[in-house]
Amino acid sequence: MTRPAPDEDPAIAPSALTYVELWRGAELLTRKAGEEQSGSRWVFLSVLMLLSFCLEAYLNHAGPLLFGAAWNEGRQPHRDKDVKARLRLVCAACGVKLEAPYKYRTVALTLLELRESLGHATQVRLAPPGVTPSRRTAPPDSASDPAELALDPAWSPYCERSVVLEYRTQLRSLLAKLHAGLPQQGRSPLSI
């Protein structure tokens, strides 16, 4: 019995791949956020999170194709490594340079750091817009009016349409480079 080609096999069709669905979800949210910035930062944050999950899902897709059983089995399987270590490993195996001058590197690492930060629910207390820390009248730990001390996460500058679109472009570039380095056998279309 002949087996269908990877792009014809419904079990591994692109729509069945986690990274493809996460990418599509990020695209849908980007469109829904529209041009309106008011309130959209949460949607853009969600897009960035989906892109970071997409990156990790892609690494988990590519890993077994590149490393076979060593990805999931053995005393120290690759899948148990930190996601940044898995990124370096997959990049090296695909011949993709992950060095400072490449913007896709900065984007990938920033997405993974954002994911890590939100996964641990870390927060940063910043002055409200237009108020410098030296003009703040109440100490940060006081029980003053919450409106005076705005909680604004350090990732807030990333939650803008232009940043999200640039990050999506750079992540697509990185994933395309990685995909080109995968073995032909078992490789489905990238579909993002």
Side-chain angles (χ1 to χ4, degrees):
M1 178 169 139
T2 61
R3 198 163 173 190
D7 55 347
E8 297 171 1
D9 186 349
I12 57 173
S15 63
L17 296 170
T18 303
Y19 77 89
V20 174
E21 289 304 310
L22 290 166
W23 183 270
R24 290 178 181 162
E27 282 189 336
L28 176 68
L29 284 176
T30 302
R31 284 194 306 270
K32 288 204 177 275
E35 294 296 329
E36 181 187 338
Q37 285 294 314
S38 176
S40 292
R41 78 180 196 150
W42 296 106
V43 178
F44 291 133
L45 174 63
S46 299
V47 171
L48 292 170
M49 289 302 295
L50 284 174
L51 291 176
S52 70
F53 292 146
C54 174
L55 173 57
E56 185 170 8
Y58 185 83
L59 296 175
N60 292 335
H61 166 73
L65 294 174
L66 293 165
F67 299 99
W71 186 260
N72 294 314
E73 300 170 7
R75 289 180 51 173
Q76 295 182 335
H78 297 308
R79 73 153 190 249
D80 292 344
K81 293 182 178 183
D82 169 78
V83 69
K84 290 179 186 177
R86 285 183 278 152
L87 174 62
R88 288 189 297 273
L89 191 64
V90 170
C91 282
C94 290
V96 175
K97 294 181 180 181
L98 195 62
E99 299 165 356
Y102 296 101
K103 190 163 186 172
Y104 60 75
R105 172 201 182 263
T106 304
V107 166
L109 294 177
T110 301
L111 286 171
L112 296 175
E113 288 170 16
L114 170 70
R115 180 184 154 278
E116 183 73 16
S117 169
L118 290 177
H120 293 291
T122 56
Q123 300 181 47
V124 177
R125 205 178 271 279
L126 301 174
V131 177
T132 61
S134 60
R135 290 181 43 214
R136 195 183 285 171
T137 57
D141 59 348
S142 77
S144 64
D145 179 13
E148 290 181 25
L149 299 173
L151 275 178
D152 195 3
W155 36 259
S156 189
Y158 297 98
C159 299
E160 294 182 16
R161 184 177 190 77
S162 61
V163 174
V164 166
L165 293 175
E166 177 63 19
Y167 271 44
R168 190 179 65 177
T169 299
Q170 291 300 320
L171 182 59
R172 179 183 280 134
S173 171
L174 173 60
L175 295 182
K177 290 175 187 305
L178 292 174
H179 206 70
L182 293 180
Q184 283 287 86
Q185 187 173 3
R187 178 173 74 182
S188 60
L190 185 57
S191 300
I192 60 166

